[in-house]
Amino acid sequence: MNNSKLYILFVLDILKTNKKGLSPIRCRLTYQQKRKVFSISLNVNPKKWNSKLQKMKSTDKDCNYVNNQLSLIKSKINQAFLYLQMNEKQFDVEDIYIQYSGDHTRKIKYLLEVFDIHNQRFLKLVGKEYSMSTYIKLKEARKHTYEFIKFKFNKNDILLESIKLNFIDDFDFYLKTEKNHKQITINKTIQRLKKIIKLALGEGYLSRDPFILYHPKRVEKKIVYLTKEELTELENHKFIQKRIQQVADMFIFCCYTGLAYNEMASLESSHIHKGFDGNDWIKMTRKKTKREISIPLLAKSKEILAKYQESENLKLLPIISNQKFNSYLKEISDVIGFEKNLTHHVARKTFATTILLYNDIPMEIVSELLGHSKISTTQESYAKVVQSKVSEHIKELNTKLTSEK
């Protein structure tokens, strides 16, 4: 229950005294240092008004009627205030007036309310436009936002209009110090919060954008991938345990196709099509972005599929959970002596770098093969790889020009 006190004051609007010498009474509510003034449709003679006692001085019939009305209005306001104290997690003076007046077409004004509206809409699109994993990340962002509000303000929610740039900066600091999140994770959480603010602005719940001067802290992205030599070493190594060899084969397959775990795990013969060039292509929808992807089957990837074609499963590759897959990759890394932490995602990065970019495949084609929704995603991730490749070309050019002299 909110323990802040509500102040109710009736005041005369002398400036609007009519020709009969009567002035309108206005009610002024003050709560948490905010005011709400409104008309109560009562006009009185200022000479008969006692501001200290908050009622008419005279006992004539008209004055008794006004005093009774004032008492009823005050009682209704107190009832509305009590109702909000018992039922609302947080409210302001405008909410008290709305509850009193009976106009419940209240505009959404709280951050987590908008978060819930957004997430409820999003949930209905899961499986149609978005994946469940993206929805789960939005729920996590909502949870972190709630915990920050509770930590910082000891409240269950916060008014949208009270959100300023320092709220975002403080949220960043909280996630870093209290949650021990890395900056890249913090940036993602704040990016999801920004979507909620954008919705609030679009719906008219918020009049100004607190993100207008916000710039996310830069994160140095380090792309972990296998070099040509490391990939060759992995391909040539024969593992004694069958389960380890299977995971190694599937990892290598993804190094030559760039498939994410979900697509690799669901790959079936129906996804293999003969292309216009006479080659076999993988054609399927990427679950994360809902984009159609077409990936040519290179010789090594065909070789691995052929190895498992006798399987009784509908899937073209052995079935294994993502968790176990990454666990076995750690064993593979230890056996071979890689210092890199192998995960399934490293195979996807290897496809983009060692297989494509280092073989002069243009960035636009790399983005298309990876199934990225925007080429900027590819550019941000692989800009340094491209710079390194450019540097190699410049060295070759420099050597060539020098030898020609």
Side-chain angles (χ1 to χ4, degrees):
M1 181 182 286
N2 199 316
N3 293 319
S4 298
K5 190 173 181 180
L6 170 66
Y7 296 92
I8 305 170
L9 188 67
F10 297 108
V11 293
L12 298 190
D13 191 349
I14 301 297
L15 294 177
K16 292 191 177 180
T17 301
N18 62 25
K19 293 179 181 179
K20 295 181 180 180
L22 301 178
S23 301
I25 301 177
R26 298 196 179 280
C27 181
R28 186 170 75 199
L29 305 181
T30 305
Y31 179 65
Q32 294 180 335
Q33 299 181 324
K34 296 290 178 67
R35 288 180 176 180
K36 172 68 178 179
V37 180
F38 57 94
S39 172
I40 56 173
S41 302
L42 291 173
N43 298 294
V44 298
N45 185 337
K47 294 178 182 179
K48 295 181 179 181
W49 176 252
N50 187 324
S51 59
K52 187 175 181 179
L53 295 176
Q54 290 281 282
K55 65 180 184 177
M56 303 295 290
K57 300 175 186 176
S58 176
T59 57
D60 60 40
K61 185 177 178 182
D62 289 340
C63 290
N64 282 337
Y65 171 77
V66 170
N67 288 339
N68 286 337
Q69 288 300 306
L70 293 175
S71 180
L72 284 171
I73 290 168
K74 192 170 184 177
S75 176
K76 280 185 68 177
I77 292 170
N78 281 321
Q79 285 176 12
F81 180 57
L82 181 61
Y83 175 86
L84 292 174
Q85 283 185 308
M86 298 300 294
N87 294 281
E88 291 289 326
K89 55 186 177 183
Q90 190 178 355
F91 58 90
D92 59 16
V93 71
E94 191 72 30
D95 294 310
I96 299 170
Y97 171 71
I98 289 169
Q99 183 65 33
Y100 154 75
S101 65
D103 177 14
H104 297 298
T105 57
R106 172 180 171 273
K107 185 185 281 188
I108 302 297
K109 292 185 303 217
Y110 293 94
L111 175 59
L112 295 180
E113 281 185 283
V114 185
F115 227 127
D116 290 337
I117 290 170
H118 176 275
N119 287 3
Q120 285 161 14
R121 288 180 184 173
F122 195 97
L123 181 59
K124 291 180 180 179
L125 294 173
V126 168
K128 298 179 177 70
E129 291 184 24
Y130 305 104
S131 65
M132 179 56 74
S133 62
T134 307
Y135 172 70
I136 290 169
K137 288 171 185 174
L138 281 167
K139 282 184 67 178
E140 287 176 354
R142 199 265 189 204
K143 176 175 173 286
H144 292 319
T145 306
Y146 166 75
E147 290 171 348
F148 167 66
I149 292 169
K150 197 72 177 174
F151 175 84
K152 178 76 176 176
F153 308 102
N154 195 27
K155 294 180 179 179
N156 293 321
D157 208 342
I158 188 170
L159 286 166
L160 284 164
E161 290 294 345
S162 70
I163 299 174
K164 296 181 174 60
L165 180 60
N166 66 320
F167 175 89
I168 303 162
D169 290 334
D170 290 345
F171 189 28
D172 184 300
F173 183 77
Y174 165 82
L175 291 172
K176 191 175 296 176
T177 56
E178 299 297 324
K179 294 289 186 176
N180 295 316
H181 288 181
K182 293 181 180 178
Q183 192 61 53
I184 191 168
T185 306
I186 294 170
N187 288 353
K188 285 290 185 183
T189 301
I190 293 180
Q191 185 181 47
R192 291 173 188 122
L193 172 62
K194 189 175 181 179
K195 287 183 179 180
I196 307 307
I197 295 297
K198 189 176 179 180
L199 173 62
L201 287 163
E203 294 291 341
Y205 305 148
L206 189 59
S207 59
R208 52 183 171 69
D209 185 0
F211 274 90
I212 198 163
L213 295 175
Y214 174 76
H215 299 287
K217 293 181 175 65
R218 289 185 64 82
V219 177
E220 194 70 28
K221 288 187 177 180
K222 186 177 181 182
I223 305 298
V224 179
Y225 60 92
L226 295 187
T227 63
K228 184 179 179 181
E229 295 72 25
E230 289 170 333
L231 182 55
T232 301
E233 186 179 358
L234 177 59
E235 290 173 16
N236 293 334
H237 193 99
K238 303 303 175 188
F239 296 91
I240 298 171
Q241 290 180 291
K242 182 182 176 181
R243 62 179 175 85
I244 298 294
Q245 185 62 56
Q246 286 180 341
V247 170
D249 288 339
M250 293 160 75
F251 180 85
I252 294 165
F253 177 80
C254 291
C255 286
Y256 283 90
T257 59
L259 289 184
Y261 172 80
N262 285 329
E263 284 67 63
M264 178 201 74
S266 59
L267 188 64
E268 298 179 0
S269 56
S270 60
H271 294 128
I272 310 298
H273 300 267
K274 190 69 71 177
F276 65 93
D277 55 357
N279 190 30
D280 289 332
W281 288 65
I282 295 173
K283 293 191 176 184
M284 62 198 310
T285 302
R286 191 173 178 220
K287 289 185 179 180
K288 183 177 181 180
T289 60
K290 302 301 176 186
R291 282 175 61 91
E292 293 290 328
I293 54 173
S294 295
I295 303 166
L297 278 174
L298 300 174
K300 190 65 183 180
S301 50
K302 284 183 179 180
E303 180 187 317
I304 291 170
L305 286 183
K307 183 177 179 179
Y308 294 99
Q309 68 178 354
E310 301 301 325
S311 172
E312 296 180 1
N313 296 319
L314 290 174
K315 308 301 180 187
L316 294 182
L317 293 166
I319 298 170
I320 184 172
S321 71
N322 195 8
Q323 186 179 7
K324 282 188 177 180
F325 190 94
N326 287 322
S327 175
Y328 293 163
L329 279 178
K330 189 177 185 309
E331 290 186 45
I332 290 169
S333 182
D334 291 339
V335 169
I336 297 180
F338 288 156
E339 293 184 2
K340 296 170 181 175
N341 178 32
L342 288 191
T343 64
H344 185 277
H345 210 57
V346 172
R348 188 168 162 79
K349 302 294 186 185
T350 302
F351 176 65
T353 53
T354 303
I355 304 301
L356 299 178
L357 289 172
Y358 280 145
N359 286 296
D360 300 323
I361 302 297
M363 184 71 79
E364 293 81 0
I365 296 177
V366 174
S367 184
E368 186 70 26
L369 292 175
L370 290 175
H372 285 165
S373 56
K374 297 181 291 185
I375 191 172
S376 59
T377 303
T378 321
Q379 290 168 333
E380 287 171 11
S381 297
Y382 299 100
K384 281 201 170 184
V385 175
V386 174
Q387 287 171 4
S388 174
K389 190 62 183 173
V390 169
S391 177
E392 287 180 22
H393 283 306
I394 294 299
K395 284 179 182 178
E396 290 174 10
L397 175 62
N398 190 47
T399 303
K400 183 180 179 182
L401 292 174
T402 304
S403 63
E404 289 177 352
K405 290 182 179 180

